[in-house]
Amino acid sequence: MIKVGIVGGTGYTGVELLRLLAVHPNVELTAITSRKEDGLPVADMFPSLRGRVNIAFSSPDKADLTKCDVVFFATPHGVAMAQAPELFKAGVKVIDLAADFRIKDKVVFEKWYKIDHTCPELLEEAAYGLAELNRDNIKNARLVANPGCYPTTMQLGYYPLLKNALVDAGSLIADCKSGVSGAGRKAEIGTLFSESSDNFKAYGVAGHRHTPETSAQLQKFTADKVGLIFTPHLVPMIRGMHSTLYARLTKDISNEDLQKLFEDQYKDSAFVDVMPFGSHPETRSTRGSNMLRLALHRPDNGNTVIVLVVQDNLVKGASGQAVQCMNLMFGLEETTGLTQIALLP
Ligand SMILES: NC(=O)c1ccc[n+]([C@@H]2O[C@H](COP(=O)([O-])OP(=O)(O)OC[C@H]3O[C@@H](n4cnc5c(N)ncnc54)[C@H](OP(=O)(O)O)[C@@H]3O)[C@@H](O)[C@H]2O)c1
């Protein structure tokens, strides 16, 4: 059994990791930390886990994470980088759900995240945890940088177009929407029910931290200079993410060939569903599952291709993707413990 520790077990991605790992056949939950809830049985805070998770939260200083085989950091940025070196000395693998190791360039990281990077020597080594595009690196990694939720949709949606040099890489436009759980469980005015329900707004239009992460990854897919405009929006739902990706075609290609390109690209990816051309994927078709669904459109058969992408921000956008990486790192089937069907209605 893989001994698993979770730092930040009281947050939304933390409890989602618990939900997935509690029924994972190869996992033994060994330590779950919380600074505020030391000693509280996990199931007392989350009754959904009663009878499934029988351990208590412990404060980070008491939890002996060096006994684990792998530790997930479901924490704000800055926490994993502070603890990873010590865990590596004990032979423990690390999967960070935050951004500490996603951006290879220390200066860019520090500009966007406004903290010093305390172990830049690990940046090159970290495997970017998007299994569909980086499976082999993840298999051999001791450190995985789990991708951001929006960047997951943008990369999987744009990859086949950029890799095959079909679109103008310099004029990509991503219009993306997230449910409120994307902001985490901490108390904030903007996520109060009376602020976020019955309301719809854009945010971070002038610049969002997921832009440098996504642009750097997209740049790996093409020799042309990537130009990405990314506009996130907050929608009054709890879970779910919908990204509408626009790109200008620069080559002649039929709709059938476009569709085939995407189907071929993802035929061995259990968690990417390429829906029929012209479909409208809904966020609820992914709710609680690790599936990302996408569909292609081409209005008036013109030269703009639109890729609609949906996922559950907490599963494929975070904790499910992290478990997918863990499976690869420990030589398991990539889909182990991740075959839940979305909850509907
Ligand atoms: N929410 C999403 O949809 C989503 C998607 C992709 C990635 N992410 C990323 O995943 C990470 C976690 O997000 P979340 O939404 O789960 O956040 P959250 O709900 O705010 O939870 C954060 C957790 O971290 C713990 N924590 C905070 N500061 C800590 C510290 N200094 N040391 C140790 N533990 C600390 C908190 O517990 P205590 O205060 O009890 O210690 C809490 O359990 C973030 O980096 C986020 O950007 C989130």
Side-chain angles (χ1 to χ4, degrees):
M1 295 294 261
I2 306 166
K3 291 193 172 65
V4 168
I6 299 173
V7 180
T10 56
Y12 284 151
T13 59
V15 68
E16 194 65 359
L17 279 170
L18 287 165
R19 179 178 77 90
L20 298 169
L21 293 173
V23 293
H24 192 294
N26 304 90
V27 161
E28 182 189 333
L29 286 168
T30 304
I32 324 280
T33 83
S34 164
R35 295 164 309 165
K36 296 179 199 131
E37 306 295 347
D38 181 37
L40 182 78
V42 170
D44 282 10
M45 172 170 271
F46 299 120
S48 54
L49 298 171
R50 272 172 64 81
R52 297 290 191 162
V53 177
N54 298 319
I55 57 176
F57 292 109
S58 40
S59 64
D61 51 313
K62 287 191 201 154
D64 188 0
L65 297 170
T66 57
K67 284 195 200 129
C68 299
D69 298 308
V70 61
V71 171
F72 291 87
F73 282 87
T75 47
H77 56 273
V79 181
M81 69 167 86
Q83 295 182 40
E86 192 195 323
L87 291 172
F88 290 150
K89 275 190 210 145
V92 181
K93 298 183 186 197
V94 168
I95 301 175
D96 182 24
L97 278 75
D100 295 12
F101 301 103
R102 290 183 198 154
I103 296 174
K104 299 280 178 212
D105 187 326
K106 177 178 182 287
V107 177
V108 175
F109 174 86
E110 291 177 348
K111 174 182 160 208
W112 284 90
Y113 286 88
K114 316 250 180 276
I115 55 170
D116 290 340
H117 205 295
T118 54
C119 43
E121 67 283 1
L122 291 176
L123 284 172
E124 249 339 287
E125 172 188 335
Y128 190 70
L130 193 57
E132 288 73 14
L133 307 183
N134 204 22
R135 211 163 258 127
D136 290 339
N137 281 343
I138 297 166
K139 278 183 187 163
N140 299 316
R142 65 172 179 169
L143 172 59
V144 164
N146 209 51
C149 44
Y150 287 120
T152 297
T153 61
M154 290 188 270
Q155 287 171 72
L156 293 177
Y158 278 133
Y159 178 72
L161 298 172
L162 290 173
K163 181 189 151 205
N164 293 289
L166 288 173
V167 295
D168 175 6
S171 63
L172 306 174
I173 297 178
D175 183 38
C176 305
K177 283 101 189 163
S178 173
V180 183
S181 64
R185 192 160 173 261
K186 61 196 169 301
E188 271 180 355
I189 303 238
T191 56
L192 290 173
F193 181 76
S194 47
E195 300 285 327
S196 60
S197 64
D198 195 21
N199 190 30
F200 176 50
K201 66 168 190 176
Y203 63 100
V205 181
H208 185 283
R209 288 166 169 175
H210 285 173
T211 305
E213 174 187 340
T214 309
S215 297
Q217 294 298 327
L218 294 182
Q219 194 59 71
K220 293 183 183 166
F221 312 154
T222 171
D224 298 329
K225 176 100 182 79
V226 166
L228 171 71
I229 292 173
F230 159 54
T231 306
H233 300 74
L234 191 66
V235 288
M237 58 186 185
I238 297 171
R239 286 174 185 248
M241 178 161 282
H242 187 298
S243 294
T244 305
L245 312 178
Y246 299 85
R248 184 129 311 201
L249 287 164
T250 50
K251 291 212 176 108
D252 237 5
I253 181 166
S254 68
N255 294 348
E256 291 71 29
D257 286 349
L258 255 183
Q259 176 74 11
K260 187 166 179 323
L261 195 78
F262 274 72
E263 287 175 0
D264 288 349
Q265 176 62 49
Y266 294 121
K267 66 180 184 322
D268 298 323
S269 294
F271 300 120
V272 179
D273 175 22
V274 179
M275 294 175 66
F277 194 92
S279 330
H280 294 89
E282 299 180 63
T283 56
R284 65 179 187 158
S285 73
T286 62
R287 196 168 200 273
S289 93
N290 198 48
M291 194 60 85
L292 173 146
R293 300 189 199 281
L294 60 81
L296 296 166
H297 287 252
R298 193 160 164 189
D300 287 334
N301 276 324
N303 66 353
T304 300
V305 58
I306 301 177
V307 191
L308 305 179
V309 189
V310 297
Q311 68 174 7
D312 184 324
N313 56 295
L314 290 175
V315 194
K316 183 59 180 158
S319 306
Q321 179 131 275
V323 173
Q324 200 180 336
C325 290
M326 180 200 76
N327 288 340
L328 291 171
M329 292 162 90
F330 287 88
L332 302 174
E333 271 299 313
E334 193 175 320
T335 53
T336 311
L338 290 173
T339 51
Q340 300 85 348
I341 294 172
L343 199 64
L344 196 115

